[in-house]
């Protein structure tokens, strides 16, 4: 993935918004990687949990909001328990989903599923793919 770092991105209101919604201090992360090492969903993620925090620190809004990882996260909270800095990574990921959902951008568009898919997919899987614990 090609990343362009800029002062403008770091100072973007997106960084403040993620901190405000998640209640987390992103700068507390020192990139030890313990969150990613314990994450049970990491093999399916395009951006690892520690990278999500790093990207959020640096204001990489487009990369984060387009990532599969924020929807793959199962909200199991293992990362929160493992972080030596007390950062609740799951809440940061939740904040990213909230930013999208507040713009009415669902990850899964139910109207695009076929009747067969709607029949086959368990309802709880459908709900989880869209909402997790986002209210
Ligand atoms: S809450 Fe999400 S990111 Fe954290 S360990 Fe669980 S699946 Fe991984
Ligand atoms: S465990 Fe905490 S300090 Fe370590 S990389 Fe993850 S968020 Fe950063």
């Amino acid at each position: 993935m090609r990343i362009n770092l800029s002062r403008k991105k770091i100072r973007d209101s997106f960084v403040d918004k993620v901190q405000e919604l998640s209640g987390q201090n992103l700068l507390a992360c020192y990139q030890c990687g313990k969150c990613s090492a314990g994450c049970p969903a990491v093999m399916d993620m395009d951006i690892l949990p520690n990278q999500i925090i790093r990207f959020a620190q640096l204001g990489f809004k487009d990369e984060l909001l387009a990532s599969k990882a924020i929807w793959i996260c199962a909200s199991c909270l293992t990362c929160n328990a493992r972080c030596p800095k007390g950062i609740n990574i799951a809440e940061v990921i939740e904040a990213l989903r909230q930013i999208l959902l507040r713009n009415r951008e669902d990850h899964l568009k139910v109207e695009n599923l076929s009747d067969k898919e709607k029949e086959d997919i368990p309802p709880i899987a459908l709900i989880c793919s869209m909402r997790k614990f986002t209210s």
Side-chain angles (χ1 to χ4, degrees):
M1 186 183 298
R2 189 180 168 87
I3 301 292
N4 292 319
L5 185 59
S6 72
R7 184 178 299 195
K8 185 169 170 283
K9 274 190 178 180
I10 295 172
R11 294 192 175 157
D12 193 275
S13 60
F14 169 75
V15 179
D16 293 335
K17 180 54 99 184
V18 174
Q19 293 198 116
E20 181 197 324
L21 287 174
S22 67
Q24 305 305 305
N25 174 13
L26 297 171
L27 290 178
C29 170
Y30 61 175
Q31 287 295 300
C32 68
K34 279 193 75 175
C35 48
S36 298
C39 174
V42 83
M43 72 291 291
D44 292 315
M45 291 183 170
D46 47 359
I47 304 176
L48 307 184
N50 68 299
Q51 293 174 321
I52 288 175
I53 301 298
R54 190 72 176 132
F55 278 25
Q57 288 172 338
L58 298 175
F60 291 160
K61 177 180 177 180
D62 296 341
E63 293 80 359
L64 285 170
L65 297 184
S67 79
K68 217 174 49 157
I70 63 173
W71 299 101
I72 295 288
C73 167
S75 303
C76 70
L77 312 185
T78 304
C79 50
N80 291 8
R82 288 175 60 90
C83 178
K85 297 294 287 184
I87 301 167
N88 290 337
I89 299 99
E91 274 78 343
V92 173
I93 296 173
E94 167 70 3
L96 296 168
R97 287 194 299 262
Q98 271 190 26
I99 289 170
L100 282 171
L101 292 169
R102 285 180 182 186
N103 288 335
R104 298 187 175 278
E105 293 176 38
D106 267 331
H107 176 58
L108 179 73
K109 297 206 173 356
V110 177
E111 62 272 24
N112 292 344
L113 296 175
S114 69
D115 288 344
K116 174 92 174 82
E117 283 168 327
K118 282 185 214 157
E119 255 177 53
D120 289 349
I121 301 173
I124 192 67
L126 275 178
I127 292 164
C128 285
S129 67
M130 293 184 287
R131 288 288 182 263
K132 307 274 181 192
F133 51 37
T134 305
S135 57

